Amino acid sequence: MCGIVAYVGPRDAQPILLDALGRLEYRGYDSAGLAILNGKGVEVRKKSGRIEELAKACRAKPVEGKSGISHTRWATHGAPTDTNAHPHLDASGKLALVHNGVIENYLELKQHLTKAGHKFSSDTDTEILAHLVGESFEHSKEKGEKCLIDAVRKALQKVQGTLGIAVLHADLPGLVVGARRGSPLVIGVGNGENFLASDTQALAPYTDRVVILQDQEIVALYADHFDVASPLGQKAVHVEKIENGVASSDKGSHPHFMLKEIFEQPETVRNAFRGRLDLEESSTKLGGLNLSLDQLREYERIFVIGCGTALHAGMVGKYLIETLAKIPVDTQHASEFRYSDSPVHPKTLFFAVSQSGETADTLGALREAKRRGFRCLGICNNVSSTIARESDGGVYMHAGPEIGVAATKSFTSQVVIFTLLAILLGRLHSLSAADSRRLIEALQQLPDHLHALLKRSDEVRKIAAKFASARSMLFLGRLANFPIALEGALKMKEVTYVHAEGYPAAELKHGVIALVDKDTPTVLVATHDGVYDKNLSNLQEVKARGGPILAVAHEGDQKIGGLADAVFSVPKTHELIQPILNVIPLQLFSYHTAVALNRDVDKPRNLAKSVTVE
Ligand code: G6P
């Protein structure tokens, strides 16, 4: 999983490639590289570390040339070193290739090439592909432009797995060949210049006209035109105009994007329900579902697929839909659903939840659900993403770009969308107008509650400073607050590297309690609800074993105040809306702990914002 940018045109390629790569850093940031045709041959620069390291190397020794390919990497095969960074060269040293994806049969191919005398300098699967394409090209008679395109096609027939690639050859200046199978690739159409990239956002400052390549397509990209071929032959393409929302790289007054995005939530939550409340009907309107109310009423079950934070939002959604609409909801890790044989009720409506809309596991699961004949809707933030395009309809989050790798504002937007959906489905079944009204009012009050809650950030910072030395933490909650506990634990792991586990509070006694000691804080989500007393018992169990307790509790809760070692106070709202408020101190807690530990908050080690490989 990685990001690709290529350029062919009259301008210097290096600054364009570096700039556009910067907008793809969310796809990986452990190493980066570029290859430019400098008039004499292929010149390569590659560096482990952030794109800034590559930029420094390029500033120290610029590469001059008008066509080039580049890459930002998230390591799959081979450690993130200079050598393993892309581009990779073929045996002749004249062909360079960058790759997004995984080649599953690379060992077999490597053995075959090694026998034929090929030598490899990296541990990557990508270098094998460069050699395969190079070998095929060298065997061609004319070694012309068409031969390079054919060589790519032939090499791809031999590889199994997902890929998006860009290739250039020293003897063919002014040509970049791109191909897509599973990993997204778009052509940016300029005036006398053309681009290739993993997403449209990378090209936002350069063009708003794009062609989204489909699977199995190959493009030959020149400065003044491009040709796209599918396995059936040459193909007429549709150039789309996209909205050029250049992602804001401005953190405002905040030191990190993560904090900025946490503080944006009063606004992003409002954007998620804006225009979607139907006060007259005491219901909600979700036109993007592309389903009439009668059609929607026909569904007997719902299935939510997603990964990481998105799945946690789906788990809150399950609770909301089952409570309000009495429709059974299954949630599953997208990666598990994709390969499972579990039977699914025929009247099931699927939801694929993904901030980026590019997560490979979620996309794979969506395709699998559709293949099995189910209608699959998307809940995405990125409107031009693959999941948004391939789903049968859905609901956009309108949360604006989320740049911090740890998802924050997208989570609360997703939960708001599930609330809207649960109200809509509830009103189609037995939810009363009065009960629905109370929920809608609570939604409308959310931005104000969030404002008030965020003012407590400094209190959370002080608690974080006190517990930052812990090497392990437990997060507990029940019912809709169980996924909040999971999300709290995930945030903690992601940005602090502190071991954290989320559990349903009652599971404590079934093993987890063995971890409790004076150095292992337990974060208990215990706002007033139907299981408040049960949570108090769990709190006592931890306390009895000397474990520090940090509780998320309603403002002024004296009982918890008297028992817990620290309290994250939250305003009281409707019980079903409360999880959206309860997650905020947990986001802040992980953020402030990460700062106290001097972590790279916005780009934690080993992670990527969007995981585009399985
Ligand atoms: C990655 C990120 C997580 C995110 C997950 C799903 O693993 O590191 O923070 O929750 O992908 O991302 P999506 O874009 O599909 O919501």
Side-chain angles (χ1 to χ4, degrees):
M1 165 194 80
C2 311
I4 290 175
V5 184
Y7 174 78
V8 190
R11 297 196 262 174
D12 271 342
Q14 179 184 291
I16 294 172
L17 295 176
L18 287 172
D19 171 64
L21 265 194
R23 268 180 296 281
L24 288 181
E25 217 174 7
Y26 74 90
R27 302 175 75 90
Y29 42 78
D30 62 35
S31 46
L34 52 77
I36 290 175
L37 296 183
N38 64 9
K40 293 185 205 132
V42 186
E43 197 169 345
V44 176
R45 295 271 180 286
K46 39 195 208 172
K47 290 301 279 177
S48 62
R50 302 288 152 81
I51 290 168
E52 184 46 32
E53 298 305 315
L54 173 69
K56 267 191 221 154
C58 289
R59 279 196 294 270
K61 212 172 159 213
V63 194
E64 283 174 20
K66 314 286 182 200
S67 46
I69 57 177
S70 63
H71 188 263
T72 180
R73 179 168 189 246
W74 184 84
T76 55
H77 292 67
T81 58
D82 288 0
T83 316
N84 287 335
H86 302 204
H88 289 283
L89 299 178
D90 74 336
S92 74
K94 288 179 164 187
L95 179 143
L97 180 146
V98 290
H99 165 223
N100 169 22
V102 174
I103 296 167
E104 286 160 4
N105 58 336
Y106 91 104
L107 272 178
E108 202 180 306
L109 294 169
K110 189 171 187 176
Q111 277 165 5
H112 164 78
L113 287 165
T114 308
K115 268 193 206 147
H118 287 255
K119 301 238 174 329
F120 299 101
S121 53
S122 78
D123 307 318
T124 65
D125 49 350
T126 305
E127 194 180 9
I128 314 293
L129 186 53
H131 279 240
L132 264 187
V133 179
E135 187 181 58
S136 190
F137 180 74
E138 292 302 323
H139 284 148
S140 65
K141 265 198 201 140
E142 287 134 32
K143 304 197 174 43
E145 290 172 347
K146 199 175 157 301
C147 303
L148 183 60
I149 301 162
D150 283 346
V152 168
R153 185 174 295 113
K154 280 185 195 146
L156 295 192
Q157 282 163 2
K158 294 183 187 159
V159 299
Q160 289 158 13
T162 52
L163 48 91
I165 59 169
V167 186
L168 50 69
H169 195 285
D171 295 342
L172 304 170
L175 168 67
V176 167
V177 178
R180 169 186 171 157
R181 189 206 290 160
S183 301
L185 214 50
V186 300
I187 302 167
V189 186
N191 289 324
E193 59 183 359
N194 286 309
F195 308 79
L196 258 189
S198 297
D199 75 15
T200 56
Q201 190 61 42
L203 306 177
Y206 303 101
T207 180
D208 59 358
R209 290 181 303 142
V210 301
V211 174
I212 313 282
L213 279 187
Q214 303 302 315
D215 265 351
Q216 316 294 343
E217 288 182 352
I218 296 185
V219 57
L221 195 76
Y222 304 88
D224 53 0
H225 72 288
F226 55 87
D227 300 318
V228 176
S230 77
L232 301 175
Q234 211 67 13
K235 199 189 138 184
V237 294
H238 167 59
V239 179
E240 296 177 38
K241 212 161 155 49
I242 47 155
E243 266 184 45
N244 254 349
V246 181
S248 163
S249 57
D250 180 11
K251 299 188 198 103
S253 56
H254 298 288
H256 298 100
F257 281 111
M258 182 178 175
L259 191 64
K260 177 190 175 220
E261 287 156 8
I262 290 174
F263 270 78
E264 278 173 358
Q265 289 177 103
E267 200 48 41
T268 51
V269 152
R270 194 192 301 280
N271 289 346
F273 67 71
R274 196 195 301 272
R276 291 170 171 165
L277 303 178
D278 183 347
L279 301 180
E280 233 165 74
E281 295 290 327
S282 298
S283 186
T284 60
K285 299 176 282 193
L286 296 171
L289 300 182
N290 296 338
L291 286 168
S292 71
L293 296 183
D294 284 338
Q295 285 172 315
L296 206 50
R297 198 181 283 109
E298 289 300 302
Y299 287 101
E300 291 180 12
R301 301 189 77 108
I302 287 181
F303 206 119
V304 182
I305 44 183
C307 305
T309 293
L311 182 64
H312 296 159
M315 291 169 77
V316 181
K318 169 184 165 72
Y319 185 80
L320 291 164
I321 295 168
E322 290 186 342
T323 305
L324 296 175
K326 309 285 178 240
I327 298 174
V329 181
D330 285 308
T331 58
Q332 199 170 19
H333 296 100
S335 52
E336 288 293 304
F337 170 74
R338 189 176 176 184
Y339 296 111
S340 82
D341 295 328
S342 330
V344 178
H345 187 283
K347 287 195 172 174
T348 298
L349 179 60
F350 271 76
F351 282 89
V353 190
S354 174
Q355 186 282 132
S356 63
E358 296 294 350
T359 300
D361 289 326
T362 312
L363 180 60
L366 175 146
R367 287 176 177 162
E368 177 62 17
K370 287 185 68 174
R371 195 192 60 75
R372 293 195 205 171
F374 292 101
R375 189 176 187 88
C376 193
L377 305 174
I379 298 181
C380 296
N381 195 27
N382 180 357
V383 292
S384 56
S385 61
T386 315
I387 292 176
R389 283 167 187 279
E390 292 198 13
S391 48
D392 298 307
V395 191
Y396 288 123
M397 298 175 203
H398 301 309
E402 190 177 62
I403 294 172
V405 165
T408 51
K409 62 177 179 174
S410 61
F411 176 77
T412 45
S413 296
Q414 287 157 359
V415 176
V416 167
I417 289 168
F418 274 113
T419 313
L420 299 175
L421 185 66
I423 293 174
L424 180 64
L425 291 169
R427 292 292 287 139
L428 293 180
H429 296 278
S430 59
L431 179 66
S432 73
D435 286 345
S436 172
R437 195 90 190 168
R438 273 190 284 281
L439 274 156
I440 290 175
E441 278 163 14
L443 272 179
Q444 288 171 315
Q445 287 160 3
L446 251 185
D448 289 343
H449 280 320
L450 287 165
H451 265 302
L453 185 48
L454 289 165
K455 286 196 183 131
R456 292 176 172 269
S457 175
D458 207 45
E459 286 172 29
V460 180
R461 185 185 59 76
K462 286 180 189 147
I463 298 173
K466 217 167 134 192
F467 292 93
S469 59
R471 295 312 308 140
S472 182
M473 294 194 199
L474 301 175
F475 288 74
L476 306 177
R478 286 169 189 255
L479 301 176
N481 284 312
F482 163 49
I484 298 302
L486 288 177
E487 180 57 10
L490 180 64
K491 287 295 86 97
M492 189 56 75
K493 283 180 277 215
E494 283 180 320
V495 296
T496 70
Y497 321 147
V498 170
H499 167 250
E501 295 198 31
Y503 272 97
E507 276 294 301
L508 178 73
K509 53 195 177 295
H510 301 296
V512 198
I513 202 161
L515 301 179
V516 171
D517 65 17
K518 66 175 181 29
D519 300 318
T520 307
T522 293
V523 181
L524 177 70
V525 185
T527 41
H528 249 288
D529 54 21
V531 287
Y532 177 75
D533 289 333
K534 307 279 173 205
N535 279 329
L536 280 188
S537 307
N538 297 129
L539 188 156
Q540 296 284 14
E541 285 157 12
V542 174
K543 230 180 133 55
R545 286 156 182 88
I549 291 277
L550 287 65
V552 177
H554 280 139
E555 285 159 349
D557 185 328
Q558 309 263 326
K559 255 194 211 167
I560 292 210
L563 290 167
D565 297 86
V567 177
F568 302 119
S569 293
V570 292
K572 189 170 171 49
T573 182
H574 191 296
E575 191 174 323
L576 293 176
I577 305 292
Q578 192 69 49
I580 301 177
L581 294 178
N582 292 352
V583 80
I584 305 296
L586 304 188
Q587 294 174 344
L588 286 167
F589 182 44
S590 58
Y591 170 77
H592 288 301
T593 307
V595 172
L597 294 172
N598 208 14
R599 303 295 192 228
D600 191 343
V601 175
D602 286 332
K603 291 199 173 74
R605 71 180 182 198
N606 302 343
L607 301 183
K609 181 78 184 149
S610 172
V611 182
T612 56
V613 286
E614 273 196 67

mmCIF file of all heavy atoms in Angstrom, residues 307-310 354-356 359 405 407 494 608-609 611, ligand 1:
data_model
loop_
_atom_site.group_PDB
_atom_site.id
_atom_site.type_symbol
_atom_site.label_atom_id
_atom_site.label_comp_id
_atom_site.label_asym_id
_atom_site.label_seq_id
_atom_site.Cartn_x
_atom_site.Cartn_y
_atom_site.Cartn_z
ATOM 1 N N CYS A 307 -13.289 -1.445 8.950
ATOM 2 C CA CYS A 307 -12.045 -1.782 9.647
ATOM 3 C C CYS A 307 -11.747 -0.710 10.682
ATOM 4 O O CYS A 307 -12.076 0.463 10.473
ATOM 5 C CB CYS A 307 -10.857 -1.804 8.683
ATOM 6 S SG CYS A 307 -11.085 -2.887 7.301
ATOM 7 N N GLY A 308 -11.067 -1.102 11.727
ATOM 8 C CA GLY A 308 -10.578 -0.135 12.721
ATOM 9 C C GLY A 308 -11.702 0.721 13.277
ATOM 10 O O GLY A 308 -12.782 0.224 13.647
ATOM 11 N N THR A 309 -11.455 2.020 13.279
ATOM 12 C CA THR A 309 -12.411 2.972 13.831
ATOM 13 C C THR A 309 -13.769 2.878 13.141
ATOM 14 O O THR A 309 -14.817 2.980 13.786
ATOM 15 C CB THR A 309 -11.820 4.390 13.667
ATOM 16 O OG1 THR A 309 -10.671 4.463 14.517
ATOM 17 C CG2 THR A 309 -12.799 5.467 14.051
ATOM 18 N N ALA A 310 -13.760 2.690 11.834
ATOM 19 C CA ALA A 310 -15.021 2.642 11.083
ATOM 20 C C ALA A 310 -15.886 1.486 11.578
ATOM 21 O O ALA A 310 -17.108 1.612 11.687
ATOM 22 C CB ALA A 310 -14.730 2.499 9.592
ATOM 23 N N SER A 354 -16.269 3.592 5.713
ATOM 24 C CA SER A 354 -14.844 3.892 5.505
ATOM 25 C C SER A 354 -14.648 5.390 5.328
ATOM 26 O O SER A 354 -15.244 5.989 4.432
ATOM 27 C CB SER A 354 -14.343 3.160 4.257
ATOM 28 O OG SER A 354 -13.027 3.544 3.963
ATOM 29 N N GLN A 355 -13.833 5.970 6.186
ATOM 30 C CA GLN A 355 -13.525 7.395 6.053
ATOM 31 C C GLN A 355 -12.908 7.664 4.687
ATOM 32 O O GLN A 355 -13.384 8.490 3.921
ATOM 33 C CB GLN A 355 -12.563 7.822 7.184
ATOM 34 C CG GLN A 355 -12.249 9.297 7.285
ATOM 35 C CD GLN A 355 -11.236 9.796 6.256
ATOM 36 O OE1 GLN A 355 -11.489 10.826 5.602
ATOM 37 N NE2 GLN A 355 -10.141 9.119 6.076
ATOM 38 N N SER A 356 -11.842 6.921 4.392
ATOM 39 C CA SER A 356 -11.093 7.173 3.156
ATOM 40 C C SER A 356 -11.840 6.669 1.926
ATOM 41 O O SER A 356 -11.665 7.199 0.833
ATOM 42 C CB SER A 356 -9.736 6.471 3.222
ATOM 43 O OG SER A 356 -9.941 5.069 3.309
ATOM 44 N N THR A 359 -9.980 1.760 1.764
ATOM 45 C CA THR A 359 -9.424 0.637 2.525
ATOM 46 C C THR A 359 -9.655 -0.672 1.764
ATOM 47 O O THR A 359 -10.797 -1.034 1.459
ATOM 48 C CB THR A 359 -10.070 0.594 3.925
ATOM 49 O OG1 THR A 359 -9.777 1.838 4.555
ATOM 50 C CG2 THR A 359 -9.551 -0.544 4.765
ATOM 51 N N VAL A 405 -3.445 10.630 11.306
ATOM 52 C CA VAL A 405 -3.642 9.216 10.967
ATOM 53 C C VAL A 405 -4.688 8.569 11.881
ATOM 54 O O VAL A 405 -5.502 7.760 11.436
ATOM 55 C CB VAL A 405 -2.286 8.467 10.997
ATOM 56 C CG1 VAL A 405 -2.491 6.968 11.026
ATOM 57 C CG2 VAL A 405 -1.480 8.843 9.762
ATOM 58 N N ALA A 407 -8.051 8.269 13.421
ATOM 59 C CA ALA A 407 -9.368 8.814 13.062
ATOM 60 C C ALA A 407 -10.063 9.355 14.307
ATOM 61 O O ALA A 407 -10.106 8.684 15.337
ATOM 62 C CB ALA A 407 -10.207 7.711 12.437
ATOM 63 N N GLU A 494 -2.665 3.415 18.916
ATOM 64 C CA GLU A 494 -2.208 4.033 17.665
ATOM 65 C C GLU A 494 -1.232 5.174 17.907
ATOM 66 O O GLU A 494 -0.210 5.262 17.238
ATOM 67 C CB GLU A 494 -3.412 4.577 16.865
ATOM 68 C CG GLU A 494 -4.200 3.512 16.151
ATOM 69 C CD GLU A 494 -5.380 4.081 15.364
ATOM 70 O OE1 GLU A 494 -6.046 5.009 15.870
ATOM 71 O OE2 GLU A 494 -5.644 3.600 14.265
ATOM 72 N N ALA A 608 -0.658 3.762 8.557
ATOM 73 C CA ALA A 608 -0.972 4.618 7.409
ATOM 74 C C ALA A 608 -2.424 5.012 7.551
ATOM 75 O O ALA A 608 -3.219 4.283 8.142
ATOM 76 C CB ALA A 608 -0.761 3.868 6.113
ATOM 77 N N LYS A 609 -2.753 6.166 7.038
ATOM 78 C CA LYS A 609 -4.127 6.649 7.156
ATOM 79 C C LYS A 609 -5.082 5.740 6.387
ATOM 80 O O LYS A 609 -6.184 5.477 6.826
ATOM 81 C CB LYS A 609 -4.183 8.085 6.614
ATOM 82 C CG LYS A 609 -5.542 8.736 6.696
ATOM 83 C CD LYS A 609 -5.831 9.210 8.095
ATOM 84 C CE LYS A 609 -7.206 9.785 8.250
ATOM 85 N NZ LYS A 609 -7.715 9.555 9.619
ATOM 86 N N VAL A 611 -5.276 2.101 4.380
ATOM 87 C CA VAL A 611 -4.546 0.854 4.135
ATOM 88 C C VAL A 611 -5.075 0.227 2.849
ATOM 89 O O VAL A 611 -6.134 -0.400 2.843
ATOM 90 C CB VAL A 611 -4.677 -0.094 5.337
ATOM 91 C CG1 VAL A 611 -3.887 -1.366 5.103
ATOM 92 C CG2 VAL A 611 -4.172 0.590 6.595
HETATM 93 C C1 G6P B 1 -6.363 2.296 9.014
HETATM 94 C C2 G6P B 1 -6.223 3.488 9.936
HETATM 95 C C3 G6P B 1 -7.341 3.449 10.977
HETATM 96 C C4 G6P B 1 -8.694 3.410 10.278
HETATM 97 C C5 G6P B 1 -8.797 2.212 9.347
HETATM 98 C C6 G6P B 1 -10.037 2.259 8.489
HETATM 99 O O1 G6P B 1 -6.062 1.143 9.707
HETATM 100 O O2 G6P B 1 -4.951 3.484 10.564
HETATM 101 O O3 G6P B 1 -7.257 4.623 11.771
HETATM 102 O O4 G6P B 1 -9.707 3.349 11.231
HETATM 103 O O5 G6P B 1 -7.682 2.213 8.456
HETATM 104 O O6 G6P B 1 -9.952 3.369 7.626
HETATM 105 P P1 G6P B 1 -11.136 3.867 6.723
HETATM 106 O O7 G6P B 1 -10.548 4.928 5.847
HETATM 107 O O8 G6P B 1 -11.625 2.687 5.954
HETATM 108 O O9 G6P B 1 -12.186 4.400 7.637
#
